[in-house]
Amino acid sequence: MAEKEIKLMKGNEVIAHAAIRYGCDAYFGYPITPQSEVMETLMELKPWETTGMVVLQAESEISSINMVYGGAATGKRVMTSSSSPGISLMAEGLSYIAGAELPCLIVNCQRGGPGLGTIQPSQGDYFQACKGGGHGDYHMIVLAPASVQEMADLTVKAFTLADQYRMTAMILADGTMGQMMEPVSLDLEIPPVPDKPWATTGTQCKRKHNIINSLSLVPEELEQLNRARYAKYAEIERSEVLVEEYMMDDAEYCIVAFGIAARVSKNAIAEARKAGIKVGLIRPITLWPFPTEAIARAADRVKQFVSVELSMGQMIEDVRLAVNGKAPVTLCSRVGGMIPSPDEVLAAVTAAAGKEGC
């Protein structure tokens, strides 16, 4: 068996390579720190010469998301990437894409906010990603990588789920994941592309016209469309939850964290275990659908939960809903582009355990 080729690469670069290998047909975007290397890498690789992939810098994020809408409507595999303020500009387009039920990939390498904030990493877009992002009743599939390898693997996974369920998938990475360099394998397993009989590809008088839009002026019809969409969401919640449980077999305390916060938490867990505190980690890989059942099971035996976040406390609301009052849930967080240190997480766990400590 041939050995996999391992390269040292940055997270943003890996997304570009993975998109090309997946067979992405088009990328439309606009530069913003800390994700600009996604488009820059695509420009350097010139995939239009090999795979035919279109790579275009639009005049704004609003333009790029509407180009994604148009490309997706023709059945093409399309994507964009941006960072927090840029995603806000795309909000209307994201809602239109959800209403039209079009598959596409959105990458958000989060930076601190609100407003222009900072170019440093954040997880403050959790609400925006997991609770909609634009107006109306809808969800996006949201995947949170915690390594450069997962930036590649989850790019393929996101494209696949988007095609499977005909909806938007988002890679929600804190800026650290985009800028971090790690060894990565690009020997990715690429699934076949499904048929898209709904696409607006031209009829040539061989079938009925396909019409794609998000407009429905008859209230009863729009209600049925929304209910059907939520039936699909229920199936995704049953079938597509991805979660990592780390040292949870005997855990008396549980950290819930994603992205860089989960990596920091693993270091804190090692130190806590040395001090005799039995603590484990539940890491949501899909932020939507959220791993509610895994947390609910843990709540039957865990004494306390600690939500570790790079925000003022957003994911903690879903943790509390999953725990359903069975145990206390506390927050350990840094904001403004700051990352909790292992010592800070250890202190939060130590306080939860009611012991003297760091």
Side-chain angles (χ1 to χ4, degrees):
M1 182 177 178
E3 291 186 4
K4 291 184 176 181
E5 183 180 3
I6 304 297
K7 295 183 178 181
L8 183 65
M9 299 182 71
K10 186 180 285 190
N12 287 333
E13 297 169 344
V14 162
I15 286 178
H17 282 269
I20 293 171
R21 280 163 172 75
Y22 180 81
C24 180
D25 293 300
Y27 171 95
F28 307 106
Y30 189 79
I32 180 174
T33 304
Q35 65 76 48
S36 296
E37 294 94 342
V38 177
M39 181 166 56
E40 290 170 1
T41 302
L42 287 169
M43 290 293 189
E44 290 173 3
L45 294 172
K46 299 180 180 179
W48 54 87
E49 295 180 351
T50 53
T51 69
M53 179 182 178
V54 173
V55 182
L56 178 65
Q57 178 178 324
E59 63 267 33
S60 70
E61 291 88 350
I62 296 171
S63 295
S64 61
I65 194 63
N66 283 288
M67 290 176 183
V68 168
Y69 185 118
T74 68
K76 298 298 184 181
R77 292 159 290 183
V78 294
M79 67 175 290
T80 188
S81 64
S82 191
S83 185
S84 307
I87 298 295
S88 294
L89 286 170
M90 296 181 185
E92 182 185 43
L94 290 172
S95 181
Y96 278 37
I97 288 170
E101 297 192 273
L102 295 174
C104 61
L105 172 61
I106 314 295
V107 177
N108 181 4
C109 288
Q110 303 164 87
R111 55 188 271 176
L116 285 175
T118 176
I119 63 173
Q120 303 303 321
S122 173
Q123 294 177 344
D125 299 352
Y126 179 93
F127 282 159
Q128 183 186 56
C130 299
K131 310 300 181 183
H135 60 283
D137 289 313
Y138 76 94
H139 281 293
M140 298 183 289
I141 296 170
V142 182
L143 299 155
S147 68
V148 175
Q149 184 64 59
E150 282 194 345
M151 291 284 266
D153 297 339
L154 294 182
T155 294
V156 173
K157 183 68 172 179
F159 268 121
T160 303
L161 290 174
D163 275 342
Q164 181 179 347
Y165 291 102
R166 195 178 156 183
M167 63 183 289
T168 306
M170 173 178 278
I171 300 290
L172 188 67
D174 48 76
T176 312
M177 291 295 108
Q179 295 298 316
M180 180 182 291
M181 295 189 74
E182 288 184 322
V184 61
S185 169
L186 291 171
D187 294 327
L188 306 171
E189 185 175 341
I190 308 299
V193 180
D195 292 332
K196 299 181 179 181
W198 46 264
T200 54
T201 55
T203 64
Q204 298 179 336
C205 300
K206 295 179 181 178
R207 61 162 169 79
K208 292 176 63 177
H209 289 283
N210 285 337
I211 298 174
I212 291 177
N213 64 31
S214 60
L215 178 67
S216 184
L217 296 177
V218 179
E220 292 82 1
E221 291 179 2
L222 181 57
E223 180 179 47
Q224 289 305 309
L225 288 171
N226 279 315
R227 293 195 183 280
R229 192 172 299 120
Y230 267 72
K232 176 171 64 178
Y233 295 161
E235 172 59 28
I236 295 169
E237 289 178 304
R238 288 190 295 269
S239 305
E240 304 299 346
V241 173
L242 297 174
V243 61
E244 177 193 4
E245 297 191 27
Y246 177 75
M247 302 191 78
M248 283 299 297
D249 288 346
D250 65 343
E252 297 178 353
Y253 301 91
C254 177
I255 294 170
V256 184
F258 65 94
I260 190 62
R263 293 179 64 141
V264 170
S265 295
K266 286 184 176 180
N267 291 331
I269 287 169
E271 294 303 312
R273 291 262 172 180
K274 290 178 185 177
I277 302 173
K278 295 180 178 179
V279 59
L281 169 72
I282 293 179
R283 175 173 73 96
I285 300 173
T286 50
L287 297 179
W288 194 90
F290 192 70
T292 300
E293 290 187 8
I295 294 173
R297 288 194 302 269
D300 289 331
R301 55 186 176 82
V302 165
K303 296 177 181 178
Q304 186 162 325
F305 290 80
V306 179
S307 186
V308 181
E309 307 182 37
L310 276 65
S311 75
M312 290 300 294
Q314 296 187 19
M315 181 181 68
I316 191 172
E317 294 193 6
D318 286 332
V319 176
R320 284 175 172 150
L321 287 171
V323 171
N324 197 24
K326 294 179 181 177
V329 183
T330 57
L331 176 67
C332 173
S333 76
R334 296 296 300 272
V335 295
M338 301 297 291
I339 300 173
S341 69
D343 285 345
E344 288 170 327
V345 178
L346 177 59
V349 171
T350 302
K355 295 188 177 184
E356 297 291 331
C358 305

